[in-house]
Amino acid sequence: MYDYEFHHLRSADLIRRAEHERLVREALRARRAARREATERSAEGAAEKEAHTSRHRRHRHPRAA
């Protein structure tokens, strides 16, 4: 009898944990998507303001070791 009850308690606990992990993954995906959209929007705004600049993104010569 105890084994049967223990099995049900364990099963319910595993189901709760899986649901919690699924919700965490969904929240992370939503945050990443929102961050990605904000980055794209700010990049579009910056691209419109500064279409071409004379600055180089990298140094001309690599650093000495």
Side-chain angles (χ1 to χ4, degrees):
M1 185 66 178
Y2 292 114
D3 290 336
Y4 181 75
E5 291 175 5
F6 182 71
H7 170 72
H8 278 282
L9 288 173
R10 177 85 172 131
S11 176
D13 184 45
L14 289 174
I15 290 170
R16 272 194 304 274
R17 286 183 185 186
E19 178 69 16
H20 176 71
E21 289 177 12
R22 186 183 64 79
L23 290 172
V24 168
R25 281 193 309 271
E26 285 182 7
L28 286 174
R29 276 192 206 117
R31 276 192 220 147
R32 286 182 191 136
R35 196 178 318 138
R36 199 175 304 123
E37 288 178 12
T39 304
E40 288 174 0
R41 271 190 256 121
S42 66
E44 288 173 0
E48 290 174 2
K49 291 178 186 174
E50 296 181 27
H52 298 284
T53 61
S54 62
R55 282 195 251 159
H56 298 286
R57 290 189 176 199
R58 295 183 182 217
H59 296 289
R60 291 184 181 178
H61 302 289
R63 289 185 178 179

